[in-house]
Structures are given as C-alpha cells and as structure tokens.
Amino acid sequence: MVRRLAADFGVRDRRVLAAMGRVPRHRFVRPHLRAQAYSVHALPIGEAQTISQPAVVARMSELLKVGSEHSVLEIGTGSGYQTAILAELARRVFSLEIVPSLAQAAIRRIRELGYDNVKIQVFDGTCGWSDAAPFDRILVTAGAPALPEPLVEQLAPRGRLVIPEGERTAQRLVVYDQRAKSVHRRVGEAVAFVPLVGKHGWNAENGS
Ligand code: SAH
C-alpha cells in the first residue's frame, strides 16, 4: 500500500509514508473486510460512514504539514485510522466524533494500539474543542458546506486547517493558513466525503 501511495498517488512526504507503513489499517475495518484493508478503496465502517481511501488520508496528512511538536484537532474520528496517523506525526491529537458507537470503537482501537497522546470525545466537531484550543493544526474529515467559524477561532497563530468544502456529496480540499493579519485560503483537489452534520455544518435530516 505504501509503495502504491508513493508510486501511483504521488505522496512524497516521508514522515507521512512512514506513519502509513506503521499503522495497521486492518485493525480499523470490520473483520469481514480485513482482506481489503490495504486496497486503495474507502470501506464502510457502519452507521453509514466510511474509512477514507489511503490516498486521501495520505494527501490530507501531507497537506496539513504536521510537526512532531504540534497539537492537532481532528473532526470526524470515524474508524480512528486517520487519528492514528496523526498520533504518529504530532505531539497531541484531539479528535471529535458525533456518532457515539463509532467514537467508542475508535477509543478502544487507539488504546489497544498503545497511543497515549490521543483524546477522543463524542461532540459536535463544528463547534471545535474550546478547552483544548488553540491548535497548531485542524483537520476536518467530513464534507462541510463552509468553514465552521469556531474552528478559525481555535486555530493558533501561524496555524493550518484542512477541510473538504462544497456540496453534500462532492467537495474540494481547502487549505487555510492563519497569517499575522488575515487567513489565507487555497482551494485544492476534488474529493468526496460523507457530510459534516451539526450546528455549523449540514442539517442531519433534510440536506439543508
Ligand atoms: N477519518 C475517518 C473517516 C471519517 S468519515 C477514518 O479514517 O475512518 C466522517 C466522520 O465524521 C463520520 O464518522 C461522521 O460520523 C463524522 N462526523 C460528521 N459530522 C460530524 C461532526 N459535526 N462532529 C464530529 N464528527 C462528525
């Protein structure tokens, strides 16, 4: 999988490739899908949610430019796979998941794998995690209609935030950089994440 990420998907960041080589992806998928864990596809994890494709996880991790001294906030824990990659790269990882059963399964996996620098909570991530702010890096792994304002407020000076922004089923990766007097915004490649639902996200039921 790591060889394909480098050769076929253009992933260059050595720390990201090393992290993807260390985290056992099969531990984050359901037992009957384990044979497909290292394929290039997204897979269902229950509750109508998915574990992202390895290439998307790698690309987002690369774009985020995570340093070993960084405190990172992740929105959308899901299986906890991206959380584990971030735990390999950063000093501290805070991750929020809105579906309790997914958060519980992710907490168990992260504990079993021995990561002691991760905190996962059940909460609407569109409101951020004010008690643990500010964050050097923020990664949103669900598709948002727009950037939730509380996340900008919780970004450290010179911080970076990566978020899929756009429609309910199709988005573009957007990178925000906190500069001295303004926030710089750059639009990147097309992606397809499940919707970010919540106070500053999509409405859970009717798609508005
Ligand atoms: N990064 C995950 C994939 C995430 S799928 C992985 O590697 O497995 C997106 C996740 O975001 C889903 O689990 C969904 O329940 C969650 N989510 C959606 N809206 C959210 C919100 N407002 N706060 C926190 N989590 C949310």
PDB file of all heavy atoms in Angstrom, residues 25 28 45 47 49-52 57 74-83 96-99 102 123-127 141-142 193-199, ligand 1:
ATOM      1  N   ARG A  25      -3.721  -0.829   9.282  1.00  0.00           N
ATOM      2  CA  ARG A  25      -5.048  -0.409   8.792  1.00  0.00           C
ATOM      3  C   ARG A  25      -6.108  -1.489   8.994  1.00  0.00           C
ATOM      4  O   ARG A  25      -7.285  -1.193   9.189  1.00  0.00           O
ATOM      5  CB  ARG A  25      -4.929   0.003   7.312  1.00  0.00           C
ATOM      6  CG  ARG A  25      -6.198   0.592   6.709  1.00  0.00           C
ATOM      7  CD  ARG A  25      -5.893   1.252   5.372  1.00  0.00           C
ATOM      8  NE  ARG A  25      -7.067   1.458   4.542  1.00  0.00           N
ATOM      9  CZ  ARG A  25      -7.811   2.572   4.532  1.00  0.00           C
ATOM     10  NH1 ARG A  25      -7.488   3.584   5.304  1.00  0.00           N
ATOM     11  NH2 ARG A  25      -8.868   2.677   3.752  1.00  0.00           N
ATOM     12  N   PHE A  28      -8.650  -1.281  11.767  1.00  0.00           N
ATOM     13  CA  PHE A  28      -9.662  -0.224  11.754  1.00  0.00           C
ATOM     14  C   PHE A  28     -10.861  -0.567  10.881  1.00  0.00           C
ATOM     15  O   PHE A  28     -11.761   0.243  10.724  1.00  0.00           O
ATOM     16  CB  PHE A  28      -9.022   1.095  11.291  1.00  0.00           C
ATOM     17  CG  PHE A  28      -8.013   1.615  12.278  1.00  0.00           C
ATOM     18  CD1 PHE A  28      -6.699   1.170  12.256  1.00  0.00           C
ATOM     19  CD2 PHE A  28      -8.390   2.523  13.258  1.00  0.00           C
ATOM     20  CE1 PHE A  28      -5.764   1.626  13.175  1.00  0.00           C
ATOM     21  CE2 PHE A  28      -7.470   2.990  14.183  1.00  0.00           C
ATOM     22  CZ  PHE A  28      -6.151   2.534  14.143  1.00  0.00           C
ATOM     23  N   ILE A  45     -17.755   1.540   7.562  1.00  0.00           N
ATOM     24  CA  ILE A  45     -17.392   1.258   8.966  1.00  0.00           C
ATOM     25  C   ILE A  45     -18.641   1.187   9.854  1.00  0.00           C
ATOM     26  O   ILE A  45     -18.549   1.135  11.071  1.00  0.00           O
ATOM     27  CB  ILE A  45     -16.405   2.316   9.540  1.00  0.00           C
ATOM     28  CG1 ILE A  45     -16.977   3.736   9.436  1.00  0.00           C
ATOM     29  CG2 ILE A  45     -15.058   2.215   8.836  1.00  0.00           C
ATOM     30  CD1 ILE A  45     -16.128   4.805  10.117  1.00  0.00           C
ATOM     31  N   GLU A  47     -22.925   2.703  10.556  1.00  0.00           N
ATOM     32  CA  GLU A  47     -23.586   3.995  10.763  1.00  0.00           C
ATOM     33  C   GLU A  47     -23.515   4.856   9.498  1.00  0.00           C
ATOM     34  O   GLU A  47     -23.469   6.085   9.576  1.00  0.00           O
ATOM     35  CB  GLU A  47     -22.961   4.765  11.947  1.00  0.00           C
ATOM     36  CG  GLU A  47     -22.812   3.981  13.233  1.00  0.00           C
ATOM     37  CD  GLU A  47     -24.144   3.718  13.931  1.00  0.00           C
ATOM     38  OE1 GLU A  47     -25.147   4.361  13.558  1.00  0.00           O
ATOM     39  OE2 GLU A  47     -24.169   2.867  14.826  1.00  0.00           O
ATOM     40  N   GLN A  49     -21.135   5.422   7.560  1.00  0.00           N
ATOM     41  CA  GLN A  49     -19.882   6.178   7.455  1.00  0.00           C
ATOM     42  C   GLN A  49     -18.800   5.296   6.831  1.00  0.00           C
ATOM     43  O   GLN A  49     -18.975   4.090   6.694  1.00  0.00           O
ATOM     44  CB  GLN A  49     -19.445   6.669   8.833  1.00  0.00           C
ATOM     45  CG  GLN A  49     -20.519   7.429   9.589  1.00  0.00           C
ATOM     46  CD  GLN A  49     -21.024   8.661   8.847  1.00  0.00           C
ATOM     47  OE1 GLN A  49     -20.288   9.271   8.070  1.00  0.00           O
ATOM     48  NE2 GLN A  49     -22.281   8.997   9.057  1.00  0.00           N
ATOM     49  N   THR A  50     -17.693   5.918   6.439  1.00  0.00           N
ATOM     50  CA  THR A  50     -16.620   5.160   5.774  1.00  0.00           C
ATOM     51  C   THR A  50     -15.251   5.502   6.341  1.00  0.00           C
ATOM     52  O   THR A  50     -15.052   6.582   6.893  1.00  0.00           O
ATOM     53  CB  THR A  50     -16.583   5.475   4.254  1.00  0.00           C
ATOM     54  OG1 THR A  50     -16.512   6.894   4.085  1.00  0.00           O
ATOM     55  CG2 THR A  50     -17.806   4.947   3.538  1.00  0.00           C
ATOM     56  N   ILE A  51     -14.311   4.547   6.207  1.00  0.00           N
ATOM     57  CA  ILE A  51     -12.901   4.837   6.449  1.00  0.00           C
ATOM     58  C   ILE A  51     -12.368   5.332   5.102  1.00  0.00           C
ATOM     59  O   ILE A  51     -12.590   4.704   4.069  1.00  0.00           O
ATOM     60  CB  ILE A  51     -12.134   3.593   6.968  1.00  0.00           C
ATOM     61  CG1 ILE A  51     -10.639   3.876   7.150  1.00  0.00           C
ATOM     62  CG2 ILE A  51     -12.315   2.374   6.083  1.00  0.00           C
ATOM     63  CD1 ILE A  51      -9.883   2.739   7.891  1.00  0.00           C
ATOM     64  N   SER A  52     -11.700   6.485   5.101  1.00  0.00           N
ATOM     65  CA  SER A  52     -11.280   7.120   3.843  1.00  0.00           C
ATOM     66  C   SER A  52     -10.263   6.263   3.107  1.00  0.00           C
ATOM     67  O   SER A  52      -9.539   5.464   3.704  1.00  0.00           O
ATOM     68  CB  SER A  52     -10.671   8.488   4.130  1.00  0.00           C
ATOM     69  OG  SER A  52     -11.582   9.302   4.820  1.00  0.00           O
ATOM     70  N   VAL A  57      -6.218   9.870   2.910  1.00  0.00           N
ATOM     71  CA  VAL A  57      -5.623  10.036   4.245  1.00  0.00           C
ATOM     72  C   VAL A  57      -4.197  10.585   4.108  1.00  0.00           C
ATOM     73  O   VAL A  57      -3.806  11.536   4.795  1.00  0.00           O
ATOM     74  CB  VAL A  57      -5.608   8.698   5.015  1.00  0.00           C
ATOM     75  CG1 VAL A  57      -4.849   8.830   6.325  1.00  0.00           C
ATOM     76  CG2 VAL A  57      -7.040   8.213   5.262  1.00  0.00           C
ATOM     77  N   GLU A  74      -8.779  16.948  15.215  1.00  0.00           N
ATOM     78  CA  GLU A  74      -9.410  16.266  14.086  1.00  0.00           C
ATOM     79  C   GLU A  74     -10.923  16.248  14.302  1.00  0.00           C
ATOM     80  O   GLU A  74     -11.378  15.964  15.403  1.00  0.00           O
ATOM     81  CB  GLU A  74      -8.898  14.819  13.991  1.00  0.00           C
ATOM     82  CG  GLU A  74      -9.551  14.043  12.857  1.00  0.00           C
ATOM     83  CD  GLU A  74      -9.331  12.533  12.944  1.00  0.00           C
ATOM     84  OE1 GLU A  74      -9.240  12.000  14.070  1.00  0.00           O
ATOM     85  OE2 GLU A  74      -9.265  11.892  11.894  1.00  0.00           O
ATOM     86  N   ILE A  75     -11.684  16.542  13.239  1.00  0.00           N
ATOM     87  CA  ILE A  75     -13.146  16.473  13.320  1.00  0.00           C
ATOM     88  C   ILE A  75     -13.607  15.300  12.456  1.00  0.00           C
ATOM     89  O   ILE A  75     -13.365  15.290  11.247  1.00  0.00           O
ATOM     90  CB  ILE A  75     -13.815  17.762  12.769  1.00  0.00           C
ATOM     91  CG1 ILE A  75     -13.140  19.035  13.277  1.00  0.00           C
ATOM     92  CG2 ILE A  75     -15.308  17.744  13.057  1.00  0.00           C
ATOM     93  CD1 ILE A  75     -13.246  19.272  14.726  1.00  0.00           C
ATOM     94  N   GLY A  76     -14.279  14.322  13.066  1.00  0.00           N
ATOM     95  CA  GLY A  76     -14.752  13.144  12.328  1.00  0.00           C
ATOM     96  C   GLY A  76     -13.823  11.963  12.546  1.00  0.00           C
ATOM     97  O   GLY A  76     -13.145  11.505  11.632  1.00  0.00           O
ATOM     98  N   THR A  77     -13.794  11.453  13.767  1.00  0.00           N
ATOM     99  CA  THR A  77     -12.893  10.342  14.123  1.00  0.00           C
ATOM    100  C   THR A  77     -13.156   9.118  13.256  1.00  0.00           C
ATOM    101  O   THR A  77     -12.212   8.442  12.826  1.00  0.00           O
ATOM    102  CB  THR A  77     -13.102   9.924  15.600  1.00  0.00           C
ATOM    103  OG1 THR A  77     -13.225  11.089  16.411  1.00  0.00           O
ATOM    104  CG2 THR A  77     -11.967   9.044  16.091  1.00  0.00           C
ATOM    105  N   GLY A  78     -14.434   8.813  13.018  1.00  0.00           N
ATOM    106  CA  GLY A  78     -14.792   7.629  12.220  1.00  0.00           C
ATOM    107  C   GLY A  78     -14.182   6.381  12.817  1.00  0.00           C
ATOM    108  O   GLY A  78     -14.355   6.082  14.004  1.00  0.00           O
ATOM    109  N   SER A  79     -13.421   5.657  12.026  1.00  0.00           N
ATOM    110  CA  SER A  79     -12.768   4.427  12.496  1.00  0.00           C
ATOM    111  C   SER A  79     -11.607   4.713  13.443  1.00  0.00           C
ATOM    112  O   SER A  79     -11.173   3.838  14.194  1.00  0.00           O
ATOM    113  CB  SER A  79     -12.228   3.644  11.299  1.00  0.00           C
ATOM    114  OG  SER A  79     -11.151   4.358  10.706  1.00  0.00           O
ATOM    115  N   GLY A  80     -11.049   5.929  13.368  1.00  0.00           N
ATOM    116  CA  GLY A  80      -9.856   6.266  14.153  1.00  0.00           C
ATOM    117  C   GLY A  80      -8.557   6.063  13.386  1.00  0.00           C
ATOM    118  O   GLY A  80      -7.470   6.286  13.913  1.00  0.00           O
ATOM    119  N   TYR A  81      -8.667   5.661  12.107  1.00  0.00           N
ATOM    120  CA  TYR A  81      -7.447   5.396  11.323  1.00  0.00           C
ATOM    121  C   TYR A  81      -6.639   6.671  11.091  1.00  0.00           C
ATOM    122  O   TYR A  81      -5.441   6.724  11.389  1.00  0.00           O
ATOM    123  CB  TYR A  81      -7.820   4.738   9.990  1.00  0.00           C
ATOM    124  CG  TYR A  81      -6.611   4.498   9.116  1.00  0.00           C
ATOM    125  CD1 TYR A  81      -5.632   3.574   9.487  1.00  0.00           C
ATOM    126  CD2 TYR A  81      -6.423   5.218   7.946  1.00  0.00           C
ATOM    127  CE1 TYR A  81      -4.507   3.366   8.701  1.00  0.00           C
ATOM    128  CE2 TYR A  81      -5.305   5.009   7.148  1.00  0.00           C
ATOM    129  CZ  TYR A  81      -4.351   4.089   7.535  1.00  0.00           C
ATOM    130  OH  TYR A  81      -3.234   3.898   6.767  1.00  0.00           O
ATOM    131  N   GLN A  82      -7.330   7.720  10.602  1.00  0.00           N
ATOM    132  CA  GLN A  82      -6.617   8.992  10.404  1.00  0.00           C
ATOM    133  C   GLN A  82      -6.090   9.535  11.739  1.00  0.00           C
ATOM    134  O   GLN A  82      -5.008  10.108  11.802  1.00  0.00           O
ATOM    135  CB  GLN A  82      -7.572  10.001   9.733  1.00  0.00           C
ATOM    136  CG  GLN A  82      -7.042  11.414   9.633  1.00  0.00           C
ATOM    137  CD  GLN A  82      -6.096  11.630   8.466  1.00  0.00           C
ATOM    138  OE1 GLN A  82      -6.503  11.611   7.301  1.00  0.00           O
ATOM    139  NE2 GLN A  82      -4.817  11.846   8.763  1.00  0.00           N
ATOM    140  N   THR A  83      -6.844   9.296  12.801  1.00  0.00           N
ATOM    141  CA  THR A  83      -6.416   9.706  14.136  1.00  0.00           C
ATOM    142  C   THR A  83      -5.069   9.069  14.483  1.00  0.00           C
ATOM    143  O   THR A  83      -4.171   9.729  15.021  1.00  0.00           O
ATOM    144  CB  THR A  83      -7.457   9.264  15.200  1.00  0.00           C
ATOM    145  OG1 THR A  83      -8.776   9.465  14.688  1.00  0.00           O
ATOM    146  CG2 THR A  83      -7.259  10.004  16.510  1.00  0.00           C
ATOM    147  N   LEU A  96     -12.819  14.599  17.551  1.00  0.00           N
ATOM    148  CA  LEU A  96     -14.240  14.649  17.891  1.00  0.00           C
ATOM    149  C   LEU A  96     -15.058  13.837  16.897  1.00  0.00           C
ATOM    150  O   LEU A  96     -14.856  13.946  15.690  1.00  0.00           O
ATOM    151  CB  LEU A  96     -14.736  16.107  17.880  1.00  0.00           C
ATOM    152  CG  LEU A  96     -14.138  16.995  18.971  1.00  0.00           C
ATOM    153  CD1 LEU A  96     -14.491  18.463  18.723  1.00  0.00           C
ATOM    154  CD2 LEU A  96     -14.622  16.556  20.352  1.00  0.00           C
ATOM    155  N   GLU A  97     -15.993  13.026  17.434  1.00  0.00           N
ATOM    156  CA  GLU A  97     -16.887  12.214  16.593  1.00  0.00           C
ATOM    157  C   GLU A  97     -18.304  12.394  17.126  1.00  0.00           C
ATOM    158  O   GLU A  97     -18.536  12.333  18.321  1.00  0.00           O
ATOM    159  CB  GLU A  97     -16.458  10.741  16.646  1.00  0.00           C
ATOM    160  CG  GLU A  97     -17.430   9.763  16.016  1.00  0.00           C
ATOM    161  CD  GLU A  97     -17.763  10.051  14.556  1.00  0.00           C
ATOM    162  OE1 GLU A  97     -16.839  10.154  13.737  1.00  0.00           O
ATOM    163  OE2 GLU A  97     -18.959  10.192  14.244  1.00  0.00           O
ATOM    164  N   ILE A  98     -19.253  12.576  16.200  1.00  0.00           N
ATOM    165  CA  ILE A  98     -20.625  12.872  16.612  1.00  0.00           C
ATOM    166  C   ILE A  98     -21.437  11.599  16.851  1.00  0.00           C
ATOM    167  O   ILE A  98     -22.447  11.622  17.551  1.00  0.00           O
ATOM    168  CB  ILE A  98     -21.283  13.828  15.577  1.00  0.00           C
ATOM    169  CG1 ILE A  98     -22.385  14.655  16.215  1.00  0.00           C
ATOM    170  CG2 ILE A  98     -21.750  13.078  14.340  1.00  0.00           C
ATOM    171  CD1 ILE A  98     -22.763  15.879  15.412  1.00  0.00           C
ATOM    172  N   VAL A  99     -21.009  10.456  16.290  1.00  0.00           N
ATOM    173  CA  VAL A  99     -21.738   9.188  16.475  1.00  0.00           C
ATOM    174  C   VAL A  99     -21.085   8.401  17.622  1.00  0.00           C
ATOM    175  O   VAL A  99     -19.943   7.941  17.486  1.00  0.00           O
ATOM    176  CB  VAL A  99     -21.733   8.340  15.185  1.00  0.00           C
ATOM    177  CG1 VAL A  99     -22.456   7.016  15.401  1.00  0.00           C
ATOM    178  CG2 VAL A  99     -22.356   9.110  14.018  1.00  0.00           C
ATOM    179  N   LEU A 102     -19.307   4.894  17.029  1.00  0.00           N
ATOM    180  CA  LEU A 102     -18.051   4.984  16.272  1.00  0.00           C
ATOM    181  C   LEU A 102     -16.934   5.496  17.175  1.00  0.00           C
ATOM    182  O   LEU A 102     -15.809   4.977  17.150  1.00  0.00           O
ATOM    183  CB  LEU A 102     -18.207   5.898  15.052  1.00  0.00           C
ATOM    184  CG  LEU A 102     -19.165   5.418  13.956  1.00  0.00           C
ATOM    185  CD1 LEU A 102     -19.246   6.448  12.843  1.00  0.00           C
ATOM    186  CD2 LEU A 102     -18.713   4.078  13.397  1.00  0.00           C
ATOM    187  N   PHE A 123     -18.847  14.618  20.410  1.00  0.00           N
ATOM    188  CA  PHE A 123     -19.235  16.031  20.443  1.00  0.00           C
ATOM    189  C   PHE A 123     -19.422  16.516  19.012  1.00  0.00           C
ATOM    190  O   PHE A 123     -18.852  15.944  18.084  1.00  0.00           O
ATOM    191  CB  PHE A 123     -18.121  16.848  21.127  1.00  0.00           C
ATOM    192  CG  PHE A 123     -18.551  18.210  21.589  1.00  0.00           C
ATOM    193  CD1 PHE A 123     -19.456  18.359  22.627  1.00  0.00           C
ATOM    194  CD2 PHE A 123     -18.044  19.356  20.979  1.00  0.00           C
ATOM    195  CE1 PHE A 123     -19.860  19.618  23.048  1.00  0.00           C
ATOM    196  CE2 PHE A 123     -18.437  20.621  21.395  1.00  0.00           C
ATOM    197  CZ  PHE A 123     -19.344  20.750  22.439  1.00  0.00           C
ATOM    198  N   ASP A 124     -20.207  17.576  18.835  1.00  0.00           N
ATOM    199  CA  ASP A 124     -20.348  18.198  17.516  1.00  0.00           C
ATOM    200  C   ASP A 124     -19.075  18.979  17.196  1.00  0.00           C
ATOM    201  O   ASP A 124     -18.837  20.058  17.737  1.00  0.00           O
ATOM    202  CB  ASP A 124     -21.573  19.117  17.522  1.00  0.00           C
ATOM    203  CG  ASP A 124     -21.715  19.890  16.221  1.00  0.00           C
ATOM    204  OD1 ASP A 124     -20.890  19.685  15.300  1.00  0.00           O
ATOM    205  OD2 ASP A 124     -22.658  20.694  16.131  1.00  0.00           O
ATOM    206  N   GLY A 125     -18.279  18.409  16.318  1.00  0.00           N
ATOM    207  CA  GLY A 125     -16.981  18.999  15.990  1.00  0.00           C
ATOM    208  C   GLY A 125     -17.064  20.333  15.278  1.00  0.00           C
ATOM    209  O   GLY A 125     -16.054  21.045  15.197  1.00  0.00           O
ATOM    210  N   THR A 126     -18.237  20.698  14.750  1.00  0.00           N
ATOM    211  CA  THR A 126     -18.322  22.004  14.084  1.00  0.00           C
ATOM    212  C   THR A 126     -18.180  23.136  15.106  1.00  0.00           C
ATOM    213  O   THR A 126     -17.967  24.276  14.730  1.00  0.00           O
ATOM    214  CB  THR A 126     -19.646  22.187  13.288  1.00  0.00           C
ATOM    215  OG1 THR A 126     -20.746  22.240  14.187  1.00  0.00           O
ATOM    216  CG2 THR A 126     -19.845  21.053  12.288  1.00  0.00           C
ATOM    217  N   CYS A 127     -18.308  22.796  16.400  1.00  0.00           N
ATOM    218  CA  CYS A 127     -18.108  23.789  17.466  1.00  0.00           C
ATOM    219  C   CYS A 127     -16.674  23.744  17.995  1.00  0.00           C
ATOM    220  O   CYS A 127     -16.298  24.546  18.854  1.00  0.00           O
ATOM    221  CB  CYS A 127     -19.081  23.541  18.616  1.00  0.00           C
ATOM    222  SG  CYS A 127     -20.802  23.660  18.104  1.00  0.00           S
ATOM    223  N   THR A 141     -12.471  15.759   8.534  1.00  0.00           N
ATOM    224  CA  THR A 141     -12.530  14.610   7.620  1.00  0.00           C
ATOM    225  C   THR A 141     -13.981  14.254   7.271  1.00  0.00           C
ATOM    226  O   THR A 141     -14.323  13.098   7.087  1.00  0.00           O
ATOM    227  CB  THR A 141     -11.770  13.377   8.163  1.00  0.00           C
ATOM    228  OG1 THR A 141     -12.486  12.852   9.287  1.00  0.00           O
ATOM    229  CG2 THR A 141     -10.363  13.719   8.571  1.00  0.00           C
ATOM    230  N   ALA A 142     -14.828  15.289   7.180  1.00  0.00           N
ATOM    231  CA  ALA A 142     -16.184  15.140   6.654  1.00  0.00           C
ATOM    232  C   ALA A 142     -16.442  16.393   5.807  1.00  0.00           C
ATOM    233  O   ALA A 142     -15.825  17.436   6.040  1.00  0.00           O
ATOM    234  CB  ALA A 142     -17.196  15.022   7.791  1.00  0.00           C
ATOM    235  N   PHE A 193     -16.377  13.255   0.519  1.00  0.00           N
ATOM    236  CA  PHE A 193     -16.516  12.807   1.909  1.00  0.00           C
ATOM    237  C   PHE A 193     -17.984  12.712   2.291  1.00  0.00           C
ATOM    238  O   PHE A 193     -18.843  13.340   1.666  1.00  0.00           O
ATOM    239  CB  PHE A 193     -15.844  13.818   2.849  1.00  0.00           C
ATOM    240  CG  PHE A 193     -14.358  13.640   2.959  1.00  0.00           C
ATOM    241  CD1 PHE A 193     -13.509  14.212   2.027  1.00  0.00           C
ATOM    242  CD2 PHE A 193     -13.802  12.890   3.978  1.00  0.00           C
ATOM    243  CE1 PHE A 193     -12.136  14.043   2.118  1.00  0.00           C
ATOM    244  CE2 PHE A 193     -12.430  12.714   4.077  1.00  0.00           C
ATOM    245  CZ  PHE A 193     -11.599  13.285   3.143  1.00  0.00           C
ATOM    246  N   VAL A 194     -18.281  11.952   3.345  1.00  0.00           N
ATOM    247  CA  VAL A 194     -19.625  11.950   3.918  1.00  0.00           C
ATOM    248  C   VAL A 194     -19.844  13.325   4.566  1.00  0.00           C
ATOM    249  O   VAL A 194     -18.890  14.010   4.902  1.00  0.00           O
ATOM    250  CB  VAL A 194     -19.812  10.802   4.945  1.00  0.00           C
ATOM    251  CG1 VAL A 194     -19.639   9.439   4.285  1.00  0.00           C
ATOM    252  CG2 VAL A 194     -18.863  10.947   6.129  1.00  0.00           C
ATOM    253  N   PRO A 195     -21.124  13.744   4.712  1.00  0.00           N
ATOM    254  CA  PRO A 195     -21.392  15.110   5.173  1.00  0.00           C
ATOM    255  C   PRO A 195     -20.980  15.385   6.632  1.00  0.00           C
ATOM    256  O   PRO A 195     -21.130  14.511   7.490  1.00  0.00           O
ATOM    257  CB  PRO A 195     -22.908  15.254   5.034  1.00  0.00           C
ATOM    258  CG  PRO A 195     -23.405  14.069   4.318  1.00  0.00           C
ATOM    259  CD  PRO A 195     -22.347  13.015   4.372  1.00  0.00           C
ATOM    260  N   LEU A 196     -20.483  16.594   6.851  1.00  0.00           N
ATOM    261  CA  LEU A 196     -20.257  17.114   8.205  1.00  0.00           C
ATOM    262  C   LEU A 196     -21.596  17.666   8.677  1.00  0.00           C
ATOM    263  O   LEU A 196     -22.094  18.650   8.138  1.00  0.00           O
ATOM    264  CB  LEU A 196     -19.207  18.231   8.159  1.00  0.00           C
ATOM    265  CG  LEU A 196     -18.857  18.892   9.490  1.00  0.00           C
ATOM    266  CD1 LEU A 196     -17.961  17.972  10.318  1.00  0.00           C
ATOM    267  CD2 LEU A 196     -18.153  20.226   9.262  1.00  0.00           C
ATOM    268  N   VAL A 197     -22.201  16.994   9.654  1.00  0.00           N
ATOM    269  CA  VAL A 197     -23.510  17.443  10.156  1.00  0.00           C
ATOM    270  C   VAL A 197     -23.315  18.142  11.494  1.00  0.00           C
ATOM    271  O   VAL A 197     -22.380  17.817  12.228  1.00  0.00           O
ATOM    272  CB  VAL A 197     -24.501  16.261  10.320  1.00  0.00           C
ATOM    273  CG1 VAL A 197     -24.841  15.654   8.978  1.00  0.00           C
ATOM    274  CG2 VAL A 197     -23.940  15.202  11.268  1.00  0.00           C
ATOM    275  N   GLY A 198     -24.165  19.114  11.814  1.00  0.00           N
ATOM    276  CA  GLY A 198     -24.033  19.780  13.110  1.00  0.00           C
ATOM    277  C   GLY A 198     -24.372  21.251  13.029  1.00  0.00           C
ATOM    278  O   GLY A 198     -24.783  21.761  11.988  1.00  0.00           O
ATOM    279  N   LYS A 199     -24.165  21.933  14.150  1.00  0.00           N
ATOM    280  CA  LYS A 199     -24.570  23.333  14.298  1.00  0.00           C
ATOM    281  C   LYS A 199     -24.023  24.210  13.169  1.00  0.00           C
ATOM    282  O   LYS A 199     -24.740  25.027  12.611  1.00  0.00           O
ATOM    283  CB  LYS A 199     -24.093  23.853  15.655  1.00  0.00           C
ATOM    284  CG  LYS A 199     -24.586  25.233  15.975  1.00  0.00           C
ATOM    285  CD  LYS A 199     -24.409  25.595  17.440  1.00  0.00           C
ATOM    286  CE  LYS A 199     -24.929  27.008  17.667  1.00  0.00           C
ATOM    287  NZ  LYS A 199     -24.044  27.817  18.482  1.00  0.00           N
TER     288      LYS A 199
HETATM  289  N1  SAH B   1     -11.245   9.907   9.230  1.00  0.00           N
HETATM  290  C1  SAH B   1     -12.165   8.795   9.325  1.00  0.00           C
HETATM  291  C2  SAH B   1     -13.245   8.862   8.294  1.00  0.00           C
HETATM  292  C3  SAH B   1     -14.258   9.812   8.699  1.00  0.00           C
HETATM  293  S1  SAH B   1     -15.844   9.660   7.923  1.00  0.00           S
HETATM  294  C4  SAH B   1     -11.428   7.484   9.191  1.00  0.00           C
HETATM  295  O1  SAH B   1     -10.228   7.485   8.917  1.00  0.00           O
HETATM  296  O2  SAH B   1     -12.048   6.453   9.434  1.00  0.00           O
HETATM  297  C5  SAH B   1     -16.515  11.145   8.643  1.00  0.00           C
HETATM  298  C6  SAH B   1     -16.884  11.038  10.080  1.00  0.00           C
HETATM  299  O3  SAH B   1     -17.291  12.322  10.515  1.00  0.00           O
HETATM  300  C7  SAH B   1     -18.049  10.098  10.350  1.00  0.00           C
HETATM  301  O4  SAH B   1     -17.671   9.151  11.296  1.00  0.00           O
HETATM  302  C8  SAH B   1     -19.138  11.028  10.885  1.00  0.00           C
HETATM  303  O5  SAH B   1     -19.948  10.422  11.865  1.00  0.00           O
HETATM  304  C9  SAH B   1     -18.310  12.151  11.461  1.00  0.00           C
HETATM  305  N2  SAH B   1     -18.991  13.441  11.642  1.00  0.00           N
HETATM  306  C10 SAH B   1     -19.912  14.021  10.844  1.00  0.00           C
HETATM  307  N3  SAH B   1     -20.272  15.221  11.343  1.00  0.00           N
HETATM  308  C11 SAH B   1     -19.537  15.401  12.485  1.00  0.00           C
HETATM  309  C12 SAH B   1     -19.462  16.464  13.469  1.00  0.00           C
HETATM  310  N4  SAH B   1     -20.194  17.583  13.397  1.00  0.00           N
HETATM  311  N5  SAH B   1     -18.599  16.306  14.505  1.00  0.00           N
HETATM  312  C13 SAH B   1     -17.850  15.183  14.622  1.00  0.00           C
HETATM  313  N6  SAH B   1     -17.898  14.165  13.742  1.00  0.00           N
HETATM  314  C14 SAH B   1     -18.732  14.267  12.684  1.00  0.00           C
END
